[in-house]
Amino acid sequence: MRGPGLIAARWLALLLPLALIAGALGSQYLGGLYPCEMCHWQRWPHYGAIAAALLAFFVPQTNNRVALVVLAALLIALSGAIGVFHAGVEYRWWDGITGCSAAPSSGSGDLLADIMAAPLTRCDVPQWTFAGISLAGFNALFSLGGAVAILALLKRKAG
């Protein structure tokens, strides 16, 4: 497959995770919003997608380029799926699976020790929202929508 579909998909597979990571790092280092454990989980697939999409610009064979773009799209979708889970924890649709989404309680009976051992940023409390959507929710929307768009571009026929 050659043509505008692959070119556009390759660029979107690179620029979308770059933009989302730039937003995450900007909100952390410029905006003072410190990521919780699940926030970091959402970043790792984007880093992988950036690497795969970059490689897709340098491999010589079209089939390899397509495979790398598909891999990037799947990694972006994985980040979106983690974002859905994280947003669900924030909205109290379900319980989180980490210590950052539960009140401190080790069962030791020492409340101060429990508080001191708790993470600084809780996973079940959104630090920022816009129109009722948290950063995890926005990551889910942009990542899942972007992954679908990348795959749709790859299916587009040239001409």
Side-chain angles (χ1 to χ4, degrees):
M1 180 217 171
R2 295 177 190 256
L6 175 58
I7 294 168
R10 197 169 38 170
W11 278 106
L12 184 57
L14 176 63
L15 295 177
L16 177 64
L18 275 174
L20 291 171
I21 288 295
L25 294 174
S27 69
Q28 177 179 346
Y29 291 109
L30 301 175
L33 301 177
Y34 297 100
C36 69
E37 183 178 358
M38 282 194 265
C39 293
H40 283 292
W41 294 355
Q42 292 169 77
R43 293 179 185 187
W44 287 107
H46 283 311
Y47 295 137
I50 291 167
L54 271 174
L55 281 173
F57 281 90
F58 297 104
V59 297
Q61 294 189 352
T62 302
N63 289 344
N64 293 338
R65 288 181 185 161
V66 171
L68 286 166
V69 171
V70 168
L71 175 61
L74 293 174
L75 288 166
I76 292 166
L78 175 61
S79 178
I82 297 168
V84 168
F85 178 75
H86 188 186
V89 170
E90 291 174 335
Y91 300 135
R92 309 271 193 267
W93 294 340
W94 45 74
D95 292 332
I97 57 175
T98 70
C100 70
S101 61
S105 173
S106 66
S108 69
D110 185 355
L111 182 59
L112 182 58
D114 290 346
I115 291 170
M116 295 306 288
L120 237 40
T121 305
R122 292 181 47 119
C123 296
D124 59 351
V125 178
Q127 293 187 50
W128 182 89
T129 61
F130 179 74
I133 302 172
S134 69
L135 289 172
F138 278 112
N139 179 56
L141 292 171
F142 289 128
S143 294
L144 293 173
V148 168
I150 292 164
L151 295 174
L153 285 167
L154 286 175
K155 289 186 79 78
R156 192 170 87 182
K157 300 290 184 211

